[in-house]
């Protein structure tokens, strides 16, 4: 019993050592996002809605970066603990080259095609003139964000999460300061929010490049076999991101079809998502930490520890998310009023939080366990869970109940809760089956 308790304590310490820097990093993402919304609110509800639309489109272009980082963590975290220094160097170098190429590839269509893309979505006239130039500036930062996401993945996989934290601390401070300076005190106006993002991402990618030189790995060469392994793991995660982001865009469009106050509800939804990110981002931090914990333990051939580590990290994450949920719900009205002066937007934002945040612990459980599966190379299960829950449940229910039955925005928020529950159940069944442990051998490190 003592040995078992000691083992659990060791797993708990390892999980927390990876998780707490990621929690702070995700809190920085929240601070940046909430600052974006606050500053956009100084330019009116149309600017807030346009920002929300551009932000969703931005993440459509980030799908590949996020997916590649999942594959990178699954491969690099196992190589780091396996002691294969030469292969670790090749994996790191190859992932950087791949991320650089992908970032450049998507910057061009992002800059040139912003107007066409936003036009194809049928965005209404008050929003389009604001969203198009904003999106074009955002696209300038794709390369830097791809490199930043990849380098953060490598650093946390190699036990250097604190280095990543140091970089993101600077990125956050720089982004927030430039947000106010460029948007409110220069002719850039609303577009200053996007310019601030690009500058801070550039600085962060350069800092992480310096940190990565300190990893104890042999000088790496480009290795196509490493890229193949990363892509094999990454593609389901990429599809997951497509399903998730396209689902978010579809939800924006469904909200725009509401028979009344649709612009106000769109602005409220944008604000509510930013407030909710105070809860979701820590959950996602545990998701990424869990991938490292499980991947490192599988690299040591500790299968029992990998299973326990995934569960312990999930329990830690759900505990923190539950506390944050109570705090946010208790202050929903006051928080909403800080982001908008429009009484309808404030009212709808508070209603969103009262309904949607009730299921945040359920969301966290599914998301964090999904991170453990990612670390083992099982990216298919989270993909299927997200795809089924969003496209078979969330969107049909949101449209039928919210628009066709004219129940309104509240029905859309409840549809989101139903889908989150289904997703958590689906992932839990696979995790507790332990089949992902035996299947993990297909993620070879030789």
């Amino acid at each position: 019993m003592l040995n078992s308790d000691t083992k659990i304590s060791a797993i708990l310490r390892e999980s927390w050592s990876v998780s707490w820097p990621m929690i702070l990093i995700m809190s920085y993402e929240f601070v940046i996002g909430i600052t974006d919304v606050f500053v956009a609110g100084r330019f009116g509800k149309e600017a807030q809605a346009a920002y929300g639309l551009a932000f969703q489109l931005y993440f459509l272009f980030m799908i590949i970066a996020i997916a590649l980082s999942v594959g990178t963590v699954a491969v690099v975290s196992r190589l780091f603990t396996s002691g294969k220094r030469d292969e670790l160097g090749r994996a790191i170098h190859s992932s950087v080259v791949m991320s650089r190429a992908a970032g450049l590839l998507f910057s061009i269509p992002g800059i040139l095609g912003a107007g066409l893309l936003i036009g194809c979505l049928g965005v209404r006239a008050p929003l389009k003139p604001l969203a198009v130039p904003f999106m074009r500036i955002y696209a300038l930062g794709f390369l830097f964000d791809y490199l930043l996401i990849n380098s953060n993945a490598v650093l946390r996989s190699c036990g250097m999460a604190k280095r990543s934290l140091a970089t993101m601390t600077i990125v956050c401070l720089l982004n927030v300061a430039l947000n106010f300076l460029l948007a409110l005190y220069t002719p850039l106006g609303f577009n200053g929010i996007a310019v601030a993002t690009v500058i801070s991402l550039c600085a962060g990618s350069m800092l992480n490049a310096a940190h990565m030189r300190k990893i104890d790995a042999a000088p790496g060469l480009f290795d196509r076999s490493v890229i193949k392994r990363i892509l094999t793991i990454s593609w389901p995660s990429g599809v997951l991101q497509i399903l998730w982001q396209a689902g978010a865009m579809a939800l924006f469009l469904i909200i725009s079809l509401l028979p009344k106050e649709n612009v106000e509800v769109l602005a409220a939804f944008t604000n509510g998502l930013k407030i909710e990110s105070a809860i979701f981002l820590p959950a996602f931090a545990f998701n990424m930490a869990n991938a490292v914990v499980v991947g490192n333990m599988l690299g040591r051939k500790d299968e029992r520890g990998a299973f326990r580590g995934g569960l312990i990290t999930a329990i830690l994450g759900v505990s923190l998310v539950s506390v944050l949920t109570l705090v946010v719900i208790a202050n929903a009205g006051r928080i909403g009023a800080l982001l908008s002066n429009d009484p309808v937007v404030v009212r709808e934002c508070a209603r969103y939080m009262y309904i949607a945040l009730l299921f945040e612990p359920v969301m966290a459980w599914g998301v964090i366990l999904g991170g453990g599966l990612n670390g083992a190379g099982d990216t298919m299960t989270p993909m299927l869970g997200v795809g089924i829950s969003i496209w078979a449940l969330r969107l049909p229910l949101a449209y039928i109940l919210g628009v066709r039955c004219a129940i309104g925005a509240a029905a859309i928020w409840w549809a989101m809760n139903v889908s989150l529950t289904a997703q958590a159940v689906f992932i839990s069944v696979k995790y507790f089956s332990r089949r992902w442990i035996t299947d993990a051998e297909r993620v070879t490190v030789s």
Side-chain angles (χ1 to χ4, degrees):
M1 183 66 176
L2 180 60
N3 290 337
S4 176
D5 290 341
T6 302
K7 183 66 173 178
I8 291 175
S9 298
I11 293 173
L12 183 61
R13 286 194 298 271
E14 181 171 353
S15 174
W16 182 246
S17 69
V18 180
S19 299
W20 77 261
M22 295 308 304
I23 294 169
L24 286 179
I25 289 172
M26 291 297 102
S27 72
Y28 295 156
E29 296 286 347
F30 168 74
V31 170
I32 292 170
I34 210 73
T35 303
D36 286 349
V37 172
F38 176 83
V39 174
R42 303 310 96 185
F43 297 91
K45 62 187 179 184
E46 291 81 7
Q48 280 188 325
Y51 165 80
L53 176 66
F55 187 80
Q56 293 298 327
L57 287 173
Y58 181 90
F59 267 90
L60 283 176
F61 284 94
M62 287 298 107
I63 285 171
I64 302 300
I66 296 170
L68 292 177
S69 73
V70 172
T72 297
V73 168
V75 172
V76 173
S77 62
R78 295 181 69 178
L79 286 171
F80 179 71
T81 51
S82 69
K84 298 179 179 179
R85 187 168 173 269
D86 291 341
E87 293 184 31
L88 177 62
R90 292 201 302 270
I92 292 173
H93 179 73
S94 300
S95 71
V96 171
V97 172
M98 181 171 54
S99 295
R100 184 186 300 126
L104 286 171
L105 178 65
F106 285 104
S107 286
I108 296 173
I111 295 170
L112 300 180
L116 178 62
L117 180 58
I118 292 175
C120 289
L121 293 175
V123 177
R124 298 187 177 186
L127 303 185
K128 187 175 180 179
L130 293 170
V132 172
F134 193 91
M135 189 64 216
R136 285 182 176 142
I137 298 171
Y138 254 175
L140 292 172
F142 287 171
L143 170 62
F144 306 120
D145 209 356
Y146 268 67
L147 291 173
L148 185 60
I149 290 171
N150 174 77
S151 56
N152 279 333
V154 170
L155 290 173
R156 65 177 179 268
S157 297
C158 296
M160 299 175 67
K162 292 181 181 179
R163 302 271 186 177
S164 179
L165 173 61
T167 293
M168 296 310 296
T169 300
I170 294 173
V171 169
C172 177
L173 293 173
L174 184 61
N175 199 327
V176 169
L178 290 177
N179 249 336
F180 287 99
L181 176 64
L182 298 180
L184 301 181
Y185 298 102
T186 75
L188 288 170
F190 172 61
N191 290 327
I193 299 172
V195 175
T197 299
V198 174
I199 294 174
S200 62
L201 290 174
C202 177
S205 64
M206 294 172 63
L207 287 170
N208 268 3
H211 292 322
M212 288 173 65
R213 297 191 187 100
K214 300 176 182 178
I215 296 175
D216 183 21
L221 298 174
F222 184 78
D223 188 336
R224 291 184 180 180
S225 66
V226 172
I227 298 300
K228 182 178 179 180
R229 291 204 300 273
I230 292 176
L231 292 177
T232 298
I233 299 169
S234 296
W235 77 260
S237 183
V239 174
L240 180 154
Q241 294 297 326
I242 291 172
L243 293 172
W244 183 277
Q245 296 301 330
M249 287 302 305
L251 202 59
F252 264 83
L253 296 177
I254 289 172
I255 293 172
S256 72
L257 297 175
L258 289 173
K260 60 180 182 178
E261 298 178 337
N262 48 46
V263 172
E264 288 81 1
V265 174
L266 275 172
F269 184 47
T270 297
N271 295 355
L273 287 176
K274 288 302 178 184
I275 297 168
E276 186 183 8
S277 66
I279 301 170
F280 176 78
L281 289 177
F284 192 58
F286 279 102
N287 166 282
M288 293 187 289
N290 214 11
V292 174
V293 169
V294 171
N296 284 164
M297 289 185 176
L298 288 175
R300 302 187 194 108
K301 306 298 182 182
D302 185 0
E303 296 178 351
R304 187 181 183 191
F307 179 80
R308 284 184 167 185
L311 281 181
I312 289 172
T313 305
I315 292 169
L316 278 173
V318 171
S319 300
L320 176 61
V321 163
S322 297
V323 173
L324 292 174
T325 298
L326 291 175
V327 172
V328 173
I329 289 178
N331 296 278
R334 288 188 290 272
I335 297 172
L338 292 174
L339 299 179
S340 177
N341 296 322
D342 189 297
V344 178
V345 173
V346 173
R347 182 195 71 210
E348 291 299 327
C349 181
R351 181 161 64 166
Y352 171 81
M353 287 187 281
Y354 288 138
I355 296 174
L357 268 59
L358 292 174
F359 283 68
E360 291 297 292
V362 176
M363 173 277 299
W365 178 259
V367 165
I368 299 169
L369 283 188
L373 296 177
N374 287 339
D378 178 11
T379 49
M380 187 68 71
T381 297
M383 180 198 76
L384 292 175
V386 168
I388 293 170
S389 65
I390 291 180
W391 291 90
L393 290 174
R394 177 180 299 187
L395 297 177
L397 286 175
Y399 179 73
I400 293 170
L401 298 177
V403 178
R404 299 295 295 178
C405 296
I407 297 177
I412 297 176
W413 315 148
W414 280 109
M416 294 171 65
N417 289 343
V418 171
S419 70
L420 288 173
T421 303
Q423 178 183 332
V425 170
F426 186 86
I427 291 175
S428 296
V429 169
K430 178 58 180 289
Y431 190 90
F432 283 96
S433 75
R434 302 194 188 211
R435 289 195 301 270
W436 54 273
I437 297 177
T438 55
D439 293 342
E441 290 305 314
R442 66 188 174 86
V443 187
T444 60
V445 293
S446 60

